Structure formats: C-alpha cells, structure tokens
Amino acid sequence: MKMKNHLFFVAVLIAAVSCSTPDIHEVIIPCPTEIEVLSGQVSLDESPDPVAVIGENVMDSPEGYELTIDKDGIVIKAGSETGVFYAHQTLKQLRYAYSGRRMPAVHILDAPRFEYRGMHLDVSRHFQGVEFVKKQLEMFASLKLNVFHFHLTDGIGWRLQIDRYPELTDIGAWKPAGWKYGDPTDLFASADSLDAVGGFYTKDDIREILAFADSLHITVIPEIEMFGHSSEVLTIYPELKCKGKTVQESTHPVNEFCIGNEKTFEFLENVLTEVIDLFPSEYIHIGGDEASMRHWAACPLCQKRMKKEGLTDVKELQSYGIARIEKFVNGKGRQIIGWEEIAKGGIAPNAALMSWRGVEAGQQATSTGHKVVFCPEPYCYFDAYQDEPIKLPEAMTNYVSLENTYSFDPAEGDFEGKDLIWGVQANLWTERVEEASHAEMMYYPRTFALAEVAWSLRENMDYDNFRKRAIRLSDKAREDGYTVFDLRTETGPRPGSVDSIEHLAVGASVTYADDFHNSDQFEKKGILTDGKCGPWSHRYPGWDTFAGTDADVTVDLGSVLKIKNIETSFASYGVRYGYFPLEVKYEVSLDGVNFETLSVMNGTKAADEKRPDFEKFEWKGRTKARYIRVFAARDTAFATRPGIWGSGRLMLDEVIVR
Ligand code: ACM
Ligand code: ZN
C-alpha cells in the first residue's frame, strides 16, 4: 500500500514537471539582451493585440526593440518597423511556450550583436522551388536572421533566368532523367525533354521571393559564381574556356572562365546587369572560390593578359579579374562580396569577404579594412553530419554538431579590425542534399544556434540552457511543418573525442613500422597516444592515416606495467577513403625484442559506402608489458588504384591501454 502511494506521488510529480510553466529564460531563441521579470502573471491568450510605437532606436540599434508584457497589455517600442517585426517574433515564441498557461509579466530589451546574420542555400547542386525557399525564409526571419545568400549558379546547374542568354536555363538547368550527383557533370538535358530533372527561377519567381523576403526584413544576396565553379556555363559556351593545350581536359576538367578573353567579361557583365536590375541588395556575391588556376597558367590569352597588366602569377590574374568585376558592379552603385580566395592575389579595393576555410583570411581582411562575414567550415557548414553519421542520411563527411555551431565566436582571438566583423552565416551546400526534408533537417536545429551566435551577446549564451530552448523550438517547428533533427535522440560527440580519456599509454612514444603512412594532410605524429579519440569524421585531426599500407605501430609505455585491456578503433568511409582492417593483432613485449601474441581479431564490419563508420577491436585479460604492438592488415582487394589515396587507407585514432 505504501509503495503504491509512493508511485502515485512520483507519477503526479512527473506530470507536474512535464507540464509546468516554462522558465522565461528557457524560451526565446535568439536569447534577448535583457529579460526583466516583473511582478504578476499574465495570459498572452487573453491579452489584447500589441500596441507598437515607432520612435527612438532601442539600445542604439535600428533593429532593437523593447517589449513589455504586463497586466495592462503588450507594448512594443522600436526605432523602426524592423524592430517592431523582431518584437513580434519574440512574442510568437512566447505565445507557443505559454499557450494555455500564464506567464510572468516581463520587460525585454533586445538588439543584435551583428548587423549581418545570414543563411545560405545552394540551389545549383539540387534545385528547390519557390515554396521551399519561402518556407525557409519564414523560419530564418523568426530567428531574426536578416540575409539570405542565394547560391544560384555552380557547375551542376544554372538556376536564374537571364534574358540575354536563354541557353543558361534552357539547357543549364536540366539534367537527364536518373542523373545523380557524382554522374558526369557536363550532361545536360533540354528543358523540352519530358523527363528532364532540375529547374530554375524565372524573374517573376525571383520577384515573388524578393517581395516575401522584404516583408520578413530579409535581404537576398544573389551569388553568380566566377571564375571557377562555372563548368555549366562553359559546357554551353565553350568559347569562354581557356585555350591552352598543355593541360589535359580529360584529367583536369575546365571549371574556370578564361580571364584573358574579353568575351568572359562581356558575358559576366551582361549577366550581372540583369542580376543587378532584379535584386536590390547593396551587395552582389561574385563567388571566387576554389578556382583551379592550372588552365590560366597554360593559356596563351591568360598569359598575354598577365604580361600586359604586369601580373606576376595566376593568383594576381584572378585578383585582376575580380577587381575588374568590382569596378563594373561599383559603377552600378553596388558592392561585391566574395569567398576568401578573392584575396589570394590581393583583395579588390571595396570588396567584402566571406571567410569559410577558417577564420584567418577573414581576420587578415578586417585588419586591412574590409568587412567580413565569418562562416568557417568547422562551425558553419551545415552540409556536414550533425550527429553520429551512421544514423543519418548521407552528408558531407565532416561533423558539425549543434554545440559546434553554438561555440563559434567570430570575435574570439587577437586580431585587428574587429569592428569590421560584419556578421556570421551558415552555408548549406547540397551536393548530397536532394530532398527538401533532408535540407530542412540539415538546417534545423543548427540554424537556431547560428541565429543565437549572430544576435545574442556572448555573456548571455549558455549551451545547456540553449539546448532546452532548441528542443522546445524544434517541437514548434515540427508543428509548423518543418523537418527537424531530433535532439532528443542525439548521440553527441564520439566518446573520447572532446574530453580527453585517461589510460596507461597517454603520452607514450610510438614507433611506426612504415613511414609511408604519413601524409601532411591528415596526420600528426603523437595522435595515437594523445588521450583523444577521433571525431565522427575522418576529415578533422584525430585520425592517424595509413595510406596504401598495413598499420603497424609499437607503443612504449616507458616501464613494465600490468595490463588488462587494449582497445583500438578504426574509421571507414566507403572503400575509397578508408576501410576496416581484415585483421587486427595485438602483441606485447617486456624488452621490445621478444613479442608474444595476445590476440588476433578478424574485422567483421564492411565499410559503409556512404557514411563514416567505426569498428572497435578490444582485448581483455591479464598480462604485463612495456611494449604493445598493434598490427592491422589492410584489405588489398581495395588496392586497385595508383597513388597512396587510390589504394585506400586505414584510419586509427588511439591505442587505449588500461
Ligand atoms: C566553398 O565552400 N567552396 C565556399
Ligand atoms: Zn585563359
């Protein structure tokens, strides 16, 4: 009887907690600057419509707002319609959290940390229609994001109607039926073929998106890629390619416009004229990333241009081209922004920069007087996995969790020109994101974290608190029809990859039987005994790579120790980038000369073709040893292609000894 009473009490308590009134500090994303709880309780359901007053800026910001909710009603004060709009976004989140409940009376003062708060969408690799874009804009605005970076052109498809060059969308927007990312990129279908896949935005579509964005206080910045990532244009207009014969197109496809050819500038300026007529944004994104410069180096026209302009290398040739485009765009009263590579041969005088490979290029640019949007890969690339990859649809092989995004602070560190940090952005590249629902899952909830990084003061940010708010807002988003990754099922970082683990081999020296494994791209010596396991991605430090060879390493513990457990894990990513060992053998020795076999284990897992996966090899028992040799046999069945990457690799993160 007593027990029953007890259980009843627990049940009542659980019920009470699960529908208790939310703490006002666990509701709003992005976190407001100041929340002052007033006396008394109110019901938003019963409150009259808000009264909005536009007067002076709040907190010195035209986007700032003051929101008072008390027994007298709801009052919004702001310096602009945008501030009023943001107060309404806060109010919507409060209404959701306190629906059917009373909430504390509050006074909220709020303004953004950064002026530029952006989200990006690549619609070249996989096209999404107008309704999808509008739906995401609605969510972005609700998070007080204010820039939509619309990546409209890239090698896979051209997505914007250009009247002067109808072939760009008649041909360049369509792939043959069944075409999948990874198939030859230069296959295009005619728009007339019934089963062609793809699409593009007409100018009316764009006007519809722009009007909608404007109503949400979002600026749309269009991106027209140059001089690289342009193979779709060059397939249609091959005369804009370089003319060099020394570089084989079969092995090095041409993705770059010829900068030596005047026709390139004629084409780009004609396109930009229509883009500028259509999009009212002050900034036009001109791409500039990842151009391979080898064709320019071999092209007589490019070489002639370099000579004429006194340019010493192809990086300067690229900068010449960008500066020329900047002059054209400036002449139309607009500015350019480009990916960080545009600064490689000297940044154009008025250009703003997007720092994406890391933060260094951005810091360099602010120190020389340029505005910078920070969107570095390890925090802001939403094409990466947000959790344990094997649970998720195929993505790019990096790992960017909600917490990674949340931890990014563009002002961290010592560098000049911090007042030129324009803001932050997250990028959604869609090479591996075809379905609308997958795209949304990649955006949410990580976009919530980006929004808080962009808007909120650092001192108000706390991840544990944010995560609760993110779960609540994820529920709201789902109710509103969005697909959202479920944080309640999150595995979190790979065990041992964030917090160091203690074991007997930490700091021990490691001898490699074969130096061939070493590649400056991936490994660091010492990785196997640094007390850290590798992350959910083989692309970031943490994994030691054995390319085209078996793994054969010996760990020296420094003295003879009692041992009861040895554990190693291997990462795979398809058979191309890494596969699991066929066999793993542990040997031990007291003197480093005579080794005794402890364990021989067969690999049992096949590499997942699409996603990183991991296999653990563990021995348990009792022994004494100073030296531990780990030998992992590669699968030579995969050693079919030339070069160390072609023959695949074994990836090992830590030799854990207990
Ligand atoms: C980029 O991710 N290539 C800008
Ligand atoms: Zn050329």
Side-chain angles (χ1 to χ4, degrees), residues 494-510 512 524-535 541-544 555 557 567 652-658:
R494 190 160 170 268
S497 65
V498 175
D499 297 323
S500 299
I501 47 172
E502 298 273 331
H503 63 87
L504 296 175
V506 173
S509 69
V510 179
Y512 292 84
K524 286 193 184 74
K525 294 262 184 197
I527 253 177
L528 298 182
T529 52
D530 63 355
K532 276 267 179 95
C533 296
W543 292 99
D544 210 345
V555 174
L557 298 174
E567 192 183 305
L652 171 61
D653 57 346
E654 185 81 359
V655 179
I656 300 170
V657 182
R658 296 183 178 98

Side-chain angles (χ1 to χ4, degrees), residues 229 289-290 339 356 381 429:
H229 283 273
D289 57 321
E290 296 184 309
W339 300 109
W356 70 274
Y381 266 48
W429 301 101

Side-chain angles (χ1 to χ4, degrees), residues 41 256 291:
Q41 297 263 318
E256 291 74 31

Side-chain angles (χ1 to χ4, degrees), residues 228-487:
H229 283 273
S230 299
S231 61
E232 85 288 27
V233 179
L234 303 173
T235 303
I236 299 165
Y237 305 116
E239 64 274 22
L240 302 179
K241 286 184 192 179
C242 282
K243 303 284 184 284
K245 296 226 179 330
T246 52
V247 181
Q248 290 277 330
E249 271 197 45
S250 55
T251 48
H252 300 293
V254 186
N255 299 320
E256 291 74 31
F257 287 97
C258 176
I259 302 182
N261 189 344
E262 275 308 296
K263 285 200 174 124
T264 290
F265 291 93
E266 188 186 314
F267 171 83
L268 289 171
E269 289 176 8
N270 285 335
V271 167
L272 286 171
T273 297
E274 292 193 32
V275 169
I276 287 169
D277 284 348
L278 188 58
F279 290 87
S281 58
E282 182 187 0
Y283 279 80
I284 304 293
H285 203 299
I286 49 74
D289 57 321
E290 296 184 309
S292 158
M293 304 188 179
R294 56 163 62 89
H295 297 282
W296 299 336
C299 165
L301 286 179
C302 285
Q303 291 304 307
K304 197 167 151 201
R305 172 84 75 199
M306 284 171 62
K307 217 172 192 172
K308 179 159 173 249
E309 300 293 335
L311 308 170
T312 57
D313 61 23
V314 281
K315 288 183 205 157
E316 288 188 8
L317 179 67
Q318 172 169 274
S319 289
Y320 158 86
I322 299 288
R324 210 174 133 171
I325 293 293
E326 175 178 83
K327 207 164 165 193
F328 177 79
V329 171
N330 288 173
K332 297 208 169 268
R334 309 292 183 89
Q335 300 291 337
I336 65 162
I337 180 165
W339 300 109
E340 64 178 65
E341 289 92 327
I342 65 166
K344 270 188 173 175
I347 187 168
N350 308 315
L353 201 77
M354 269 188 184
S355 192
W356 70 274
R357 289 176 178 271
V359 294
E360 293 75 18
Q363 295 181 353
Q364 170 71 22
T366 61
S367 73
T368 55
H370 294 266
K371 291 212 279 195
V372 174
V373 174
F374 285 89
C375 50
E377 266 195 294
Y379 308 96
C380 300
Y381 266 48
F382 289 179
D383 53 354
Y385 292 99
Q386 58 197 309
D387 200 16
E388 187 175 0
I390 210 74
K391 290 180 6 189
L392 298 168
E394 184 187 7
M396 283 297 185
T397 60
N398 304 336
Y399 169 64
V400 175
S401 68
L402 184 75
E403 188 167 10
N404 291 141
T405 304
Y406 196 77
S407 70
F408 178 55
D409 180 0
E412 193 175 295
D414 200 13
F415 62 98
E416 283 177 40
K418 287 192 179 176
D419 54 324
L420 289 165
I421 302 174
W422 195 9
V424 293
Q425 174 173 293
N427 300 331
L428 181 53
W429 301 101
T430 59
E431 285 94 332
R432 306 193 185 175
V433 182
E434 184 173 348
E435 301 297 327
S437 58
H438 188 195
E440 288 184 356
M441 199 188 80
M442 299 303 260
Y443 271 141
Y444 314 115
R446 287 182 289 195
T447 302
F448 304 169
L450 191 277
E452 187 141 318
V453 169
W455 179 280
S456 303
L457 294 179
R458 218 61 211 169
E459 60 261 36
N460 287 338
M461 289 173 66
D462 172 85
Y463 182 70
D464 291 338
N465 173 286
F466 167 76
R467 199 171 183 284
K468 288 183 202 161
R469 287 180 283 134
I471 287 174
R472 182 188 307 284
L473 200 57
S474 297
D475 291 340
K476 177 176 188 312
R478 271 184 220 104
E479 286 176 28
D480 292 342
Y482 292 87
T483 303
V484 182
F485 169 71
D486 189 355
L487 284 171

